[in-house]
Amino acid sequence: MVDEKNKILSIENLVIKFTLRGRELTAIRDISLDLYKGESLAIVGESGSGKSVLMKSIIGLLDKNGYIDQGKILYEDYDLAQFKTENDWLKIRGKEIAMVTQDPMTSLNPLKTIGKQIEEAVILHQGLKGKSAYEKVLQIIRDVGIKDAERRYKQYPHEFSGGMRQRIVIAIAIACNPKILICDEPTTALDVTIQAQILQLLKNLQEKYHLTTIYITHDLGVVAKVADRVAVMYAGDIIEFGKTDEIFFNAKHPYTWALISSLPQLGEKGKELYSIKGTPPNLFNEIKGDAFAPRNPYALKIDFVERPPYFKVSDTHYAKTWLLHPNAPKVEPPEVLKKFFEEGRQYANG
Amino acid sequence: MANREVILEVKNLNVTFGKGKKKFEAIKDVSFQIYKGETFGLVGESGSGKTTIGRAIMRINEVTSGEILFKGRKINGKIPRDWDREITQKIQMIFQDPMASLNERAKVDYIISEGLINTKNYSSEKERQEKIRNALLQVGLLPEFASRFPHEFSGGQRQRIGIARALVMEPEFIIADEPISALDVSIRAQVLNLMKHLQQQNNLTYLFIAHDLSIVRFFTDRTAVIYKGNIVELAETEKLFSNPIHPYTRALISAVPEPNPYKERSKKVEIYDPTQHNYETMPPSFIEIEKGHFVLANEEEIARYRETRRMGVSM
């Protein structure tokens, strides 16, 4: 999987800032990330960690007051960080990189039939017309698991349930024939039984349409279900990334530890659930050292002074924590987590 | 178990919205009991009626038929004024979205004391201030916060204010309707821990309404699963999760993604098909299949469930 040739998108030293009431906020603090063809990457983080901002920047949907301060976003022959006009983005958005958003209620046009909405994308991005465009739409409707395509084509969004609407949003994204599909909390607004169906659908489509997918989520259960690789974000930085198994069962960064430990599945009934003290840092201020240090019970002195670089755990697994420095004291993860890791390893061995 | 004091009882509750052709039965003949000091979970998907039950107990939604008893006394319909005032104080609610449930234009001091003022539950201004101070301290906020506005707080802090507003009334029974769904993972743990702590300290009983099964499993003592206005299964939480009987419960539990990639890759999600029941010819009832474990089923289904269990097949 770590094969330079298979890189489809590459983010290099990206810094994104926002201007808010005359003050400057750094939302993305020097992030580098590679995306490989055909993989499914999950970006995990809490609200305000910058996961949505990062994804918006690669399809040119940053809010007006946000801008790329430094860094590159390399896709094929383009550096998306240099794109200025809407015309530039039209070459990429939809056609190459498409996005499925959280709320299917607001991302559809209530005044147009769903068939027409999918057809727009087919005509614009696949260059089909008339009957062939219509046929293509019907095929896509069937591909996203909606039965009775001819009748459904003529219906309006309000005639569909939440889960069905999300299928239509996905259909529109697929109709653009993108290479990369970004799914921003695709199932947060849906019930669990529907969530399971939509996640399965996305997995099937990924295979059928040879997509590379990025999931943005805060739900580690969803991550376990869909992702090959995981990147964990905190305060505008990717503090750890690796294969899904590596992040779940061999995490190295204390924030990743804390995130997994606070899952109710790891809690023992009647006892306190592990919780992270304090709140995330204010991104208006300059962050010194490791952003997680003030909330980190394992913080070393150096964590407050110097920002840690990535330390290598394996060829695919890196973490930004001084605890991995050869001179650092040896620190064990919390007890509950050790048990969880142990269980995971048992699964891995059969 | 049998000797435990029942604090709240719902008997054959029906809630219907609309009339005639537009009539919609949100709650159909639901009965359950909640014991003092326990956390009773109510899970279901959107539109299942779980919030309607909570609101019926709060007396926000009118009851069409059936009874709701608090400490053995009826609280729905026409009731004496002093009893009405007492339950207004004794039954409190915590809401889902702390961003929407606090009055943006009022100070925290007013938000928390509004209930006190309405029920005139204090003798002097000094006592009122003391009560606010205590409530804030109990939820882990500083008493100084009373003079601030809601927008000055984070989501987790706002939910603490929402909890303080319930606590200040010195309730015995709290309905928590998705109290942590709108919060971040790390904040969820803080709020759950706080709720547990307050329960022990103040001897509270919770009705915990949620759609997130993993949190319900961790947090509640007994759980009822509701599907389209019917409770389809009710049992001690661990029993319900380790041995679900009703096909809807099984589908619901199997759909929850677990934080374990190995398990998830091999897992098969069960799908519930409501047409599998033959209720036209043989109507179902709420049957105790095992001590404390109730399931909605007809005779034929019960026989089948029992048979499967006897064969030693894990269900």
Side-chain angles (χ1 to χ4, degrees), chain B residues 252-299:
Chain B
L252 198 61
I253 290 173
S254 81
V256 183
E258 281 179 76
N260 182 334
Y262 301 115
K263 272 192 201 167
E264 276 307 317
R265 273 169 216 151
S266 56
K267 193 161 91 177
K268 218 179 156 286
V269 174
E270 290 184 34
I271 292 170
Y272 175 56
D273 175 15
T275 58
Q276 65 182 271
H277 306 288
N278 185 19
Y279 289 161
E280 296 286 305
T281 47
M282 209 190 276
S285 55
F286 205 48
I287 295 166
E288 189 167 16
I289 191 165
E290 204 173 50
K291 196 169 173 357
H293 192 155
F294 297 83
V295 62
L296 185 74
N298 61 25
E299 278 164 42

Side-chain angles (χ1 to χ4, degrees), chain A residues 188-216:
Chain A
T188 310
L190 304 174
D191 280 323
V192 273
T193 50
I194 310 293
Q195 166 176 294
Q197 294 168 15
I198 297 287
L199 292 177
Q200 192 55 49
L201 171 70
L202 285 168
K203 269 174 114 173
N204 297 345
L205 291 174
Q206 173 171 25
E207 209 163 293
K208 180 159 186 187
Y209 287 83
H210 310 289
L211 296 167
T212 305
T213 47
I214 306 177
Y215 289 88
I216 306 177

Side-chain angles (χ1 to χ4, degrees), chain A residues 46-47 191-193 195 221 224-225 245 248-249 263-265 268-269 271-276 340 344 347-348, chain B residues 45-46 184-186 189-190 192-193 214-215 217-218 220 237 252 255 257-265 269:
Chain A
E46 300 183 77
S47 39
D191 280 323
V192 273
T193 50
Q195 166 176 294
K225 198 174 179 78
D245 310 358
F248 272 90
F249 300 121
L263 286 170
Q265 287 93 339
E268 212 176 309
K269 238 188 171 133
K271 293 207 180 130
E272 290 241 312
L273 197 55
Y274 184 92
S275 75
I276 310 175
F340 180 71
Y347 264 96
Chain B
E45 300 186 82
S46 40
D184 259 323
V185 189
S186 66
Q190 291 178 10
L192 280 182
N193 286 341
S214 47
I215 287 165
R217 183 174 197 170
F218 168 73
T220 66
T237 303
L252 198 61
E258 281 179 76
N260 182 334
Y262 301 115
K263 272 192 201 167
E264 276 307 317
R265 273 169 216 151
V269 174

